[in-house]
Amino acid sequence: MFSDKDIAHFSNLETPFYYYDLNLLKETLKACNNAANAYNFHVHYAMKANFNDKVLKEIKAIGFGADCVSGGEVKKAIETGFTNGKVVFAGVGKSDKEINYALDQDIFCFNVESLQELQVINELAEKKQKIAKVAIRINPNVDAHTHANITTGLDENKFGINSWDMPACADILNISANLEFVGIHFHIGSQITNLDVYKNLCVRVNEFAAWFEDKGFKIKILNVGGGLGIDYHHPNAQIPAFEAYFKIFADFLEVKPYQEVHFELGRALVGQSSSLISRVLYVKNGKKKNFIVLDAGMTELMRPALYQAYHQIENISPSTTGVTVKYDVVGPICESTDCFGKEVALQETFRNDLIAIRSTGAYGEVMASKYNLRDAIVTVTSDDI
Ligand code: LLP
């Protein structure tokens, strides 16, 4: 929701840009923090969702840790001031260079995704005479009931170590002198809106934790990943259902007194606090279709092209005719998939009108590309207004 002041400010700016509402971000973080604290749960922010400096500053300030998926993200987390002891490093393909860097930084833990990776981390840690803390990422074969392209916890997905490899995994952990096995990690997918999915995950987490403890391993960390979805159809509803989400884990996870429960939320923390603001370059009224061509394209926001993702589209300029028209809202990129929405009902739209594409705080700015040699994306924050 934009105030008249916001819109007046936007109309003086060059477009496109990502607008961040830092107050909403702070409110969202606070809501999540309160809900997690009620159960003594720990949150690591999944930095891949958004690593804008101002966003990271707020997340660090609330005290969350950082969940990173590359050496670059580990470096950024540490430069931003996240304490090394609250940085975790996941990812199916960590290079030796990235592992060595993370070892040098004494991060909290590696979330390890294959048997071979366990052996490599052990070898690299031995060379540095260090003990690497590791959690193993287990693929629990739980369906997240989300878009196939953002499903990660099924046997056919590339992520994590499969259940049938657990005995071999235990053998490697037993003989690896430079690994400290701290826990088990799961992440079954993203934009999960059916919370029942998490009950199924809890059942699997309990089973795997018990299996390892039966073998004599002490599991200190139960890391259940992230994935909590946001309501893209109601961008003004804004704060996700953190309480209901955490309550499921409180109710269904079997947590021993010495165990900590860790979460890796990305989208739910940042998704609603940003919109992509763009201008209409051209209106093309045809016999079959009406198009509005924006100055933002899939190069700025790739989600619709990549996952057929829905984002609410609003014309935020004052309406002059009171008429509603259906448009296909497209970008300027030379690709037919460069389309933000089809048959979108908008007030009659004209060249230079401002268009807001909502709920773009997660996986928006970070996935922007230079395809077509586009200008780098610009950001504006509420404290600039
Ligand atoms: N932990 C791990 C190991 C992950 O791979 C991810 C996201 C997260 C946590 C955070 O998930 P979240 O809470 O944000 O759902 N680009 C896609 C989403 C890809 C998610 C990748 N992994 C999109 O735009 O929908």
Side-chain angles (χ1 to χ4, degrees):
M1 221 155 358
F2 302 101
S3 67
D4 291 347
K5 196 173 152 214
D6 295 334
I7 296 170
H9 184 76
F10 295 165
S11 55
N12 293 320
L13 299 175
E14 202 177 313
T15 47
F17 58 86
Y18 275 102
Y19 169 71
Y20 288 99
D21 180 343
L22 295 180
N23 293 325
L24 176 58
L25 174 65
K26 281 185 227 174
E27 257 181 73
T28 310
L29 296 175
K30 214 167 133 193
C32 178
N33 197 35
N34 290 343
N37 283 345
Y39 303 108
N40 212 8
F41 288 162
H42 300 251
V43 177
H44 289 93
Y45 166 61
M47 217 168 130
K48 65 175 79 63
N50 190 312
F51 40 74
N52 179 291
D53 286 337
K54 286 190 178 176
V55 170
L56 287 184
K57 197 170 145 241
E58 298 302 338
I59 292 170
K60 197 222 130 210
I62 198 107
F64 293 161
D67 162 42
C68 306
V69 285
S70 70
E73 284 190 3
V74 172
K75 187 160 182 278
K76 180 88 182 167
I78 287 165
E79 282 169 2
T80 307
F82 286 90
T83 14
N84 304 42
K86 279 190 174 184
V87 172
V88 297
F89 184 12
V92 74
K94 304 177 188 77
S95 70
D96 292 18
K97 187 177 163 198
E98 290 175 310
I99 295 168
N100 278 323
Y101 175 71
L103 285 169
D104 290 340
Q105 298 304 320
D106 295 320
I107 62 164
F108 173 61
C109 150
F110 292 84
N111 290 335
V112 179
E113 306 226 10
S114 66
L115 300 180
Q116 204 167 30
E117 186 192 331
L118 270 179
Q119 291 162 324
V120 169
I121 296 178
N122 185 49
E123 281 162 27
L124 295 176
E126 188 184 353
K127 283 195 191 134
K128 290 183 181 290
Q129 296 183 332
K130 291 202 168 202
I131 305 289
K133 288 202 187 111
V134 295
I136 53 162
R137 175 169 179 179
I138 302 175
N139 182 328
N141 197 29
V142 169
D143 192 344
H145 295 291
T146 182
H147 191 285
N149 294 4
I150 48 175
T151 291
T152 52
L154 291 174
D155 284 346
E156 61 263 39
N157 298 131
K158 70 177 176 179
F159 299 97
I161 304 176
N162 295 112
S163 52
W164 54 87
D165 277 331
M166 287 306 121
C169 187
D171 290 346
I172 295 174
L173 290 166
N174 271 326
I175 58 165
S176 301
N178 292 75
L179 299 182
E180 181 189 343
F181 179 42
V182 295
I184 51 179
H185 170 240
F186 302 80
H187 173 74
I188 56 172
S190 196
Q191 184 51 19
I192 295 172
T193 49
N194 173 357
L195 292 185
D196 284 343
V197 161
Y198 287 114
K199 293 184 190 166
N200 301 338
L201 173 62
C202 288
V203 171
R204 299 293 279 154
V205 176
N206 294 339
E207 285 169 7
F208 284 108
W211 189 87
F212 275 102
E213 296 228 322
D214 280 353
K215 294 257 166 315
F217 294 98
K218 195 161 189 183
I219 301 290
K220 286 186 232 149
I221 309 290
L222 304 173
N223 183 336
V224 295
L228 176 63
I230 60 170
D231 188 349
Y232 282 97
H233 289 269
H234 298 96
N236 297 328
Q238 297 179 339
I239 309 273
F242 293 117
E243 283 172 10
Y245 169 70
F246 287 124
K247 187 170 187 311
I248 288 188
F249 293 92
D251 288 348
F252 290 92
L253 266 190
E254 288 157 13
V255 185
K256 307 244 165 62
Y258 54 86
Q259 291 177 328
E260 286 182 8
V261 185
H262 289 203
F263 292 81
E264 298 171 342
L265 292 172
R267 186 189 318 264
L269 297 177
V270 293
Q272 297 292 31
S273 53
S274 170
S275 296
L276 177 60
I277 309 294
S278 166
R279 265 195 185 83
V280 176
L281 292 175
Y282 302 107
V283 181
K284 301 210 296 183
N285 290 327
K287 273 193 181 151
K288 288 196 172 160
K289 286 269 188 189
N290 301 309
F291 290 99
I292 53 179
V293 184
L294 304 183
D295 61 6
M298 62 192 281
T299 40
E300 284 68 50
L301 178 65
M302 206 191 280
R303 304 192 67 255
L306 209 52
Y307 321 109
Q308 301 77 47
Y310 173 86
H311 285 263
Q312 187 157 298
I313 300 171
E314 297 166 5
N315 182 334
I316 56 172
S317 292
S319 170
T320 47
T321 63
V323 174
T324 299
V325 179
K326 284 192 174 163
Y327 299 99
D328 278 16
V329 181
V330 302
I333 307 304
C334 304
E335 297 273 347
S336 298
T337 53
D338 184 28
C339 175
F340 292 118
K342 288 188 192 294
E343 298 288 316
V344 182
L346 294 175
Q347 68 187 44
E348 193 177 2
T349 295
F350 300 94
R351 176 169 161 81
N352 286 328
D353 279 359
L354 282 174
I355 301 291
I357 304 179
R358 305 293 307 275
S359 315
T360 56
Y363 309 106
E365 185 188 345
V366 281
M367 288 174 73
S369 88
K370 296 210 61 112
Y371 184 44
N372 285 192
L373 211 52
R374 299 271 291 166
D375 288 341
I377 185 69
V378 171
T379 62
V380 173
T381 44
S382 46
D383 59 356
D384 296 327
I385 296 180

